[in-house]
Amino acid sequence: DRAGGGGRGGGGTGRAGGRTAVAWSGDESLRTWGLATGEQQQVLTGHTSCVLGATVLADGQTALSWSNDESLRTWNLATGEQQQVLTGHTDWVHGATVLADGQTALSWSRDTSLRTWNLATGEQQQVLTGHNENGHQTWVNGAGVPAAGQTALCWPKRGSLRTWNAATRDHPQASTGDAGWVQRQHATAN
């Protein structure tokens, strides 16, 4: 489940049993809101640049956010406390999704990589590179993993869609043809 791409205009997502919404904006913060009352509950601070997106994990108690500050962060929604700072990207983190196991996140960045993370420890697990078009590196604009698989579908700023085997870290396989400017895609299992 991924929400994001709000950029400086911000955005929002909700889950937490349908009781809490999480919103983000260009002021470097996230905010939680009680859906039943409409009242702001927490202001989550720690990012040092524009927050680009967030998602609430399946446990309903944890949020994952990503930012122009090159980091992802996990948050305790009940207390508003930052739990983990996930660092390793070297440019804006464009987005992230939590894999079906609920403990692994996949992020993608302007630094031309996808990365996997252990959400419990904050440790980076894998770095997947190889996004280039005509010999030039290009940033990753989005990614997704079907619930039933280990294969990630990712797309660069412009060009071919790529697939990765997340378990083996095989080099990305490019689709044939130019997909043009790919803004958003949705990965589903067959």
Side-chain angles (χ1 to χ4, degrees):
D1 181 22
R2 174 197 173 250
R8 294 199 184 278
T13 187
R15 200 178 307 166
R19 298 181 309 270
T20 304
V22 177
W24 59 90
S25 75
D27 72 357
E28 304 173 4
S29 73
L30 296 97
R31 296 171 192 269
T32 62
W33 301 85
L35 294 177
T37 64
E39 293 180 15
Q40 182 176 298
Q41 297 172 329
Q42 303 280 348
V43 177
L44 313 177
T45 59
H47 281 292
T48 59
S49 188
C50 178
V51 179
L52 294 178
T55 190
V56 178
L57 277 60
D59 68 7
Q61 301 301 311
T62 308
L64 173 68
S65 62
W66 50 92
S67 168
N68 283 359
D69 68 8
E70 304 173 2
S71 75
L72 297 95
R73 295 170 193 252
T74 59
W75 307 89
N76 180 314
L77 292 177
T79 66
E81 292 179 18
Q82 181 177 279
Q83 296 174 317
Q84 301 283 346
V85 179
L86 314 177
T87 59
H89 281 294
T90 59
D91 208 333
W92 299 359
V93 180
H94 279 272
T97 191
V98 179
L99 303 185
D101 67 8
Q103 293 299 310
T104 306
L106 172 71
S107 62
W108 51 93
S109 170
R110 195 171 177 154
D111 70 6
T112 75
S113 73
L114 287 95
R115 296 170 191 254
T116 59
W117 308 89
N118 179 315
L119 292 175
T121 66
E123 292 179 20
Q124 181 176 277
Q125 296 174 320
Q126 296 176 322
V127 179
L128 307 173
T129 60
H131 294 86
N132 58 57
E133 294 298 323
N134 302 318
H136 299 285
Q137 291 290 94
T138 184
W139 74 69
V140 183
N141 213 32
V145 179
Q150 288 292 319
T151 301
L153 172 67
C154 56
W155 47 97
K157 173 183 75 166
R158 178 174 178 83
S160 303
L161 301 176
R162 305 248 192 285
T163 58
W164 287 93
N165 182 314
T168 64
R169 295 177 59 182
D170 287 342
H171 192 73
Q173 301 299 311
S175 65
T176 57
D178 185 346
W181 183 275
V182 180
Q183 195 61 19
R184 193 167 280 202
Q185 185 60 263
H186 184 72
T188 59
N190 279 339

